């Protein structure tokens, strides 16, 4: 099947493209700058930007299905408007091109829980894409654990630098993280199961943890001992985002929507996806080890000190 992947250079898209090729699909990768994209062998590269109608429609020629993996969180306060515009442009173009299916990776969280701006924007994109003349399959996920994930990167940097943390009380909110390998398996899997067309599914790993437990496990894996975490009610999301901006390399524009999302419980309540795409889910600790290992492998030797993982004691 000829498949388009938008966001092909991103954290998820960069892993999805080779997985689709391995699964036997003819892949077109959409990127804003083709000269900066090292495409896997056999992949057609198309240049364009969904924010600019008229610049990307050529990438849809002959395509039967497309993955929409674009999110503008790094655009600061304008990310909601950009997300809205990109989704509308893409839904219109995909409908005009006669696509049969679109697959979207959104965010977990129930609408009645007053979603954060970040999660609300992901949900709005989902609703806009549903208006197109094709079958939309949506996969909703919480934190994706992998090297390059914005959410996991915040946790990793905090864990490697701060053995003591004062956090918002929302740090005790439950979350169901999922390994990037499992996300890719689901994304590839639903394409080959026609019954998943036109459906929304929730995906998550086998472990439900609070954000405090997630921080503790990642920190212990990096430093060899658990951190001291003190949740306090007076630490606002705005102050937390500024604090993260000071102690990590994560821009405040990215940290702010992520921190606001801590108030929302993001746990899988619908497990139907396991019937259609039965995969062996990766335990959280194993997913963390893989993510830290990937990062160590691509760092220069001097940079690996921060991620030195203690060997298990006999």
């Amino acid at each position: 099947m000829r498949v388009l992947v938008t966001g092909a250079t991103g954290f998820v898209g960069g892993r999805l493209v080779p997985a689709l090729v391995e699964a036997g699909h003819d892949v077109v990768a959409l990127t804003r700058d083709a000269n900066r994209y090292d495409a896997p062998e056999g992949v057609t590269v198309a240049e364009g930007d969904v924010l600019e109608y008229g610049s990307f429609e050529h990438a849809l020629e002959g395509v039967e299905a497309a993955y929409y993996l674009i999110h503008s969180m790094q655009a600061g306060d304008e990310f909601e408007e950009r997300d809205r515009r990109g989704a509308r442009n893409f839904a219109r173009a995909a409908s005009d091109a006669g696509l049969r299916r679109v697959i979207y990776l959104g965010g977990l969280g129930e609408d009645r829980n007053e979603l954060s701006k970040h999660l609300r924007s992901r949900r709005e994109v989902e609703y806009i894409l549903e208006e197109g003349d094709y079958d939309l399959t949506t996969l909703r996920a919480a934190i994706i654990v992998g090297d390059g994930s914005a959410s996991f990167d915040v946790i990793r940097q905090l864990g490697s630098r701060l053995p003591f943390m004062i956090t918002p009380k929302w740090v005790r909110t439950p979350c169901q993280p999922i390994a990037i390998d499992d996300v890719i398996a689901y994304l590839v899997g639903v394409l080959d199961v026609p019954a998943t067309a036109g459906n929304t599914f929730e995906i998550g790993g086998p472990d439900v943890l609070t954000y405090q437990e997630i921080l503790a496990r990642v920190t212990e894996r990096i430093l060899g001992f658990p951190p001291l975490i003190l949740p306090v009610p007076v630490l606002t999301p705005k102050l937390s985002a500024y604090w993260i901006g000071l102690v990590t390399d994560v821009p405040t524009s990215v940290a702010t929507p992520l921190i606001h999302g801590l108030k929302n419980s993001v746990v899988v309540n619908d497990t139907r996806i396991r019937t259609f795409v039965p995969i062996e889910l990766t335990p959280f600790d194993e997913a963390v080890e893989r993510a830290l290992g990937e990062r160590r492998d691509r760092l220069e030797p001097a940079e690996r000190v921060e991620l030195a993982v203690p060997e298990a004691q006999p």
Side-chain angles (χ1 to χ4, degrees), residues 14 22 25 47 50 67-68 100 129 145 154 157 178 200 226:
E22 186 176 349
H25 296 289
E47 193 170 87
V50 298
Y67 288 86
Y68 194 81
R100 290 165 43 199
L129 292 176
V145 182
V154 170
Q157 290 195 42
I178 182 170
T200 297

Side-chain angles (χ1 to χ4, degrees):
M1 184 185 301
R2 188 169 177 81
V3 182
L4 173 70
V5 177
T6 67
T9 60
F11 165 58
V12 177
R15 290 167 167 79
L16 178 61
V17 168
L20 288 169
V21 171
E22 186 176 349
H25 296 289
D26 179 14
V27 181
V28 180
L30 180 66
T31 176
R32 287 179 294 180
D33 187 352
N35 293 325
R36 299 179 62 183
Y37 178 48
D38 185 16
E41 185 177 354
V43 172
T44 301
V45 180
E47 193 170 87
D49 187 347
V50 298
L51 293 176
E52 299 179 13
Y53 198 83
S55 73
F56 67 92
E57 288 79 357
H58 61 284
L60 293 164
E61 294 177 5
V63 167
E64 298 176 68
Y67 288 86
Y68 194 81
L69 304 175
I70 295 174
H71 188 44
S72 305
M73 190 167 58
Q74 295 190 8
D77 292 339
E78 299 179 357
F79 77 87
E80 289 181 285
E81 190 279 327
R82 289 168 64 91
D83 280 348
R84 190 179 302 119
R85 174 155 47 101
R88 285 174 177 162
N89 287 345
F90 185 80
R92 174 184 168 188
S95 298
D96 291 345
L99 261 67
R100 290 165 43 199
R101 294 188 65 180
V102 171
I103 299 169
Y104 171 60
L105 179 61
L108 275 174
E110 297 187 27
D111 291 346
R112 65 173 181 267
N113 290 342
E114 297 184 3
L115 297 178
S116 67
K117 289 178 65 175
H118 165 55
L119 293 176
R120 188 172 64 235
S121 180
R122 301 297 280 271
R123 194 60 47 81
E124 183 182 16
V125 167
E126 178 184 324
Y127 294 152
I128 292 172
L129 292 176
E130 283 180 341
E131 297 173 359
D133 296 328
Y134 44 74
D135 291 324
L136 177 70
T137 300
T138 297
L139 301 182
R140 295 176 178 173
I143 290 178
I144 300 176
V145 182
D147 181 31
S149 162
S151 300
F152 182 72
D153 199 38
V154 170
I155 295 167
R156 177 192 61 76
Q157 290 195 42
L158 289 176
S160 62
R161 300 175 183 182
L162 294 175
F164 172 70
M165 306 179 205
I166 297 177
T167 63
K169 62 180 180 179
W170 292 341
V171 79
R172 289 172 176 160
T173 303
C175 173
Q176 192 163 354
I178 182 170
I180 180 58
D181 291 344
D182 296 350
V183 173
I184 298 302
Y186 277 134
L187 287 169
V188 175
V190 295
L191 184 61
D192 295 325
V193 182
T196 62
N199 281 287
T200 297
F201 300 99
E202 299 177 345
I203 60 174
D207 303 300
V208 176
L209 306 165
T210 65
Y211 290 103
Q212 181 171 345
E213 291 172 322
I214 290 172
L215 277 166
R217 289 199 188 188
V218 173
T219 302
E220 186 168 13
R221 193 74 196 105
I222 295 173
L223 299 181
F225 55 86
L228 177 60
I229 299 176
L230 180 62
V232 295
V234 295
L235 191 59
T236 67
K238 186 175 182 179
L239 287 174
S240 299
Y242 281 130
W243 172 65
I244 287 177
L246 288 173
V247 299
T248 74
D249 299 330
V250 178
T252 302
S253 61
V254 174
T256 299
L258 291 177
I259 289 295
H260 276 274
L262 289 177
K263 69 179 183 179
N264 296 114
S265 174
V266 280
V267 176
V268 172
N269 295 309
D270 178 2
T271 61
R272 288 176 302 132
I273 187 65
R274 299 180 189 175
T275 301
F276 296 105
V277 186
I279 67 172
E280 185 176 349
L281 295 172
T282 306
F284 176 74
D285 291 334
E286 182 178 337
V288 170
E289 174 61 18
R290 289 181 189 175
L292 297 178
E294 286 179 6
R295 183 168 179 80
R296 285 195 302 272
D297 289 344
R298 68 180 179 83
L299 291 178
E300 295 297 325
E303 298 176 293
R304 295 177 188 168
V305 176
E306 183 181 272
L307 287 176
V309 177
E311 295 183 2
Q313 297 299 314

